[in-house]
Amino acid sequence: MNPTVLFSVLLSALTLGLLAVIGGWILGWAKNAFHVEVDPTVQALSDALPQVNCGGCGYVGCGEYAEALARGEAEPTLCGPGGAACSKTLSDILGVDVGDVWPIRAVVHCAATLDQRLQQTPYEGEPTCAAANLVAGIQGCAYGCLGLGDCEVACPYDAIHVENGLATVDYDACTGCRHCVAACPRNIISVIPFKQNQILAIACSNPEIGPAVKSVCKVGCIGCSACAKISGGLIEMEGALPRIDYDTYDASSDLTPSVDKCRMESMVYVGTTPEEAPEPEEETLQPLRADFESTVDHTEWRG
Amino acid sequence: MDTLTDLFLIFFGAAIINNFVLHSFVGVCPFLGVSTRTDSALGMGMAVTFVMGVATTASWALTRTLLRPGAPLVAWGWDLAGFEGAAPDLSVLSYIIYIFVIAGSVQFVEMYVRKLFPALHKSFGIFLPLITTNCAILFACLLVMKELQGPGPLWGLHHSLALSLGGGLGFTLAIVLMAGLREELEFCDVPKPLKGTGIALLVAGILAMAFMGFAGVDQGIADAISSAGGTR
């Protein structure tokens, strides 16, 4: 072979090889020089989390939550989608006792269906709650559910649906991920610990009293505080709205007198009824996968 | 035309007129992938600008000494081996070496930042591995290579730095604009078939058409600068 051609090939190979050796050497040196210790606990915690990065625990993602856990700054019970099984795995890794872990579930603090809300104005705008909330006078109650389903869209588990104009939680599917809480522009959804399958919740968010509430809603809380007076301290009034103390409320507490006393049906039992309650699931729930039905667009085109 | 005008035109050309994303359509994957929120888009843009600067500097040095016709290092090796005539042109190796240099420098920068600036690593470190095979950066390296082929005056390091800075900031501008538009899109009633990537691509196309309005502005600026210099 022509020696010039041979040397050209050799020169190319030599250049590449030399660059590879130099680059490899620099990176190898950097790997040792800039070595950062990664806590194996963080890795184990991160693996135990569902990795859906929902942010329900209050941290940016599962990775951040794992780091906070390892630093001892967070409780191992904050993961909604992971549930009790996940909390147990986390506490096993951390070597702490979590005690009783209650599942948290979303509760809509409004009980007024479409025909029970008064002073409604026909609304033809953008069919989202976020947009409708900017419009004054769409319905009499400025605190109640708008029924346009922002929470339904936000829910990754298909667990909340607008039924008869009111957002209704499907407690068989809810994981307490707080996506609906963030989506609701009127902040009427919150998560509460479910110590039994069915618990009592205040189903009104209107902080006004008597006539002001009655003029806008057939079932709104009028702030009479009758329920609080006979509840034995389990219910306290916050302004004109009762608030149930869920730290002390459990299976043994009997609030039936308060519920019977309420004239406005503002206190409702939420959750699955005991007989149809499913076996507690040990597995981590997976986010809903799209099927044919959920890809069909039912919203009206208003272009 | 003096050096400063040259540098300004290179910078302005790379940033606005021949915007890497909206004119040359390189770096579209991060442009669509990381443009859902303005703050992460800004982080991505800054990371691209930084890596582009590092990578073009490295590839400028390598091209200048090795990967061009008549490169001094190759000629030296040729003479050392005792051959007559012109030394071979190693620019066939440029692509593979650029990829190697970009991947290597990204890795190095990632480790360096992670060790010495943990806060910075938290904010844009997650984007660095994504840039390893970013075509916008390879594009910048290839533009620098084109200017080092001769004949005529070769680009200096300051030229390639101006190009990479302009290109990176142009990318940042494009991706932040896009992220702002997509944040607004969240509130729009987009027909379901177009939701997500579909409408994002349409918006990107319209944005690119808007940037076509800058075509030819560089010649106008150059004329304005030279005529202003002439009358002074």
Side-chain angles (χ1 to χ4, degrees), chain A residues 3-5 7-8 11-13 15-16 19-24 26-36 38 64 67 126-127 130 294-303, chain B residues 62 66-67 74-75 77-78 81 83-84 86-90 92-93 96-97 100-101 103-105 107-109 111-116 122 186-193 195:
Chain A
T4 4
V5 174
F7 188 68
S8 300
L11 199 63
S12 304
T15 311
L16 264 185
L19 273 177
V21 169
I22 294 172
I26 292 176
L27 284 184
W29 168 80
K31 188 178 183 297
N32 289 326
F34 302 135
H35 184 65
V36 180
V38 178
E64 300 278 311
E67 280 175 24
E126 183 95 8
S294 61
T295 55
V296 176
D297 186 7
H298 294 296
T299 51
E300 195 183 334
W301 166 239
R302 292 168 193 267
Chain B
L62 282 172
L66 277 174
L67 307 172
V74 182
W78 197 249
F83 287 104
E84 296 292 322
D89 178 9
L90 285 191
V92 284
L93 296 176
I96 190 166
I97 286 181
F100 172 79
V101 164
S105 56
Q107 275 299 314
F108 183 82
V109 166
M111 287 189 273
Y112 180 78
V113 171
R114 188 175 184 184
K115 176 76 177 178
L116 296 178
K122 257 206 163 61
E186 292 283 305
F187 298 105
C188 294
D189 189 11
V190 180
K192 202 139 195 179
K195 259 184 188 150

Side-chain angles (χ1 to χ4, degrees), chain A residues 6-292:
Chain A
L6 192 68
F7 188 68
S8 300
V9 173
L10 267 180
L11 199 63
S12 304
L14 202 72
T15 311
L16 264 185
L18 207 66
L19 273 177
V21 169
I22 294 172
W25 184 80
I26 292 176
L27 284 184
W29 168 80
K31 188 178 183 297
N32 289 326
F34 302 135
H35 184 65
V36 180
E37 287 289 335
V38 178
D39 193 347
T41 322
V42 174
Q43 194 57 45
L45 289 169
S46 192
D47 290 343
L49 287 165
Q51 297 298 338
V52 286
N53 292 320
C54 67
C57 51
Y59 293 90
V60 179
C62 294
E64 300 278 311
Y65 179 44
E67 280 175 24
L69 276 172
R71 286 195 305 268
E73 290 170 8
E75 292 291 316
T77 55
L78 299 178
C79 186
C86 179
S87 301
K88 194 176 176 309
T89 321
L90 294 179
S91 54
D92 285 349
I93 294 168
L94 290 170
V96 296
D97 187 20
V98 287
D100 291 328
V101 182
W102 307 113
I104 50 168
R105 298 289 178 257
V107 168
V108 182
H109 297 286
C110 179
T113 53
L114 198 59
D115 50 324
Q116 288 166 335
R117 303 204 281 266
L118 306 174
Q119 298 181 19
Q120 291 184 36
T121 317
Y123 173 70
E124 289 291 329
E126 183 95 8
T128 65
C129 305
N133 192 35
L134 302 174
V135 184
I138 175 171
Q139 64 188 30
C141 182
Y143 307 94
C145 182
L146 287 160
L148 291 168
D150 281 13
C151 45
E152 194 174 331
V153 174
C155 182
Y157 300 99
D158 198 24
I160 189 162
H161 299 281
V162 175
E163 286 170 14
N164 206 356
L166 174 68
T168 313
V169 181
D170 173 4
Y171 287 99
D172 289 335
C174 181
T175 64
C177 71
R178 294 181 173 87
H179 273 136
C180 51
V181 178
C184 182
R186 295 199 152 177
N187 299 321
I188 59 168
I189 309 178
S190 71
V191 289
I192 55 179
F194 271 53
K195 294 186 182 176
Q196 60 257 37
N197 286 320
Q198 225 187 6
I199 66 169
L200 195 66
I202 307 298
C204 183
S205 301
N206 195 325
E208 291 175 47
I209 50 164
V213 177
K214 275 198 156 172
S215 66
V216 295
C217 184
K218 288 183 185 168
V219 293
C221 169
I222 53 172
C224 68
S225 71
C227 52
K229 279 173 199 149
I230 58 169
S231 68
L234 275 176
I235 303 179
E236 281 172 12
M237 294 304 288
E238 262 187 2
L241 273 177
R243 192 178 64 82
I244 298 175
D245 182 6
Y246 286 108
D247 290 338
T248 43
Y249 176 79
D250 58 25
S252 64
S253 26
D254 182 23
L255 285 175
T256 327
S258 294
V259 179
D260 292 342
K261 192 81 182 171
C262 183
R263 295 182 289 142
M264 300 302 294
E265 304 167 35
S266 285
M267 306 181 71
V268 293
Y269 281 102
V270 291
T272 50
T273 48
E275 51 269 27
E276 67 178 53
E279 289 296 305
E281 253 182 279
E282 282 301 306
E283 288 170 77
T284 311
L285 278 167
Q286 296 301 314
L288 184 77
R289 304 271 173 253
D291 55 14
F292 175 71

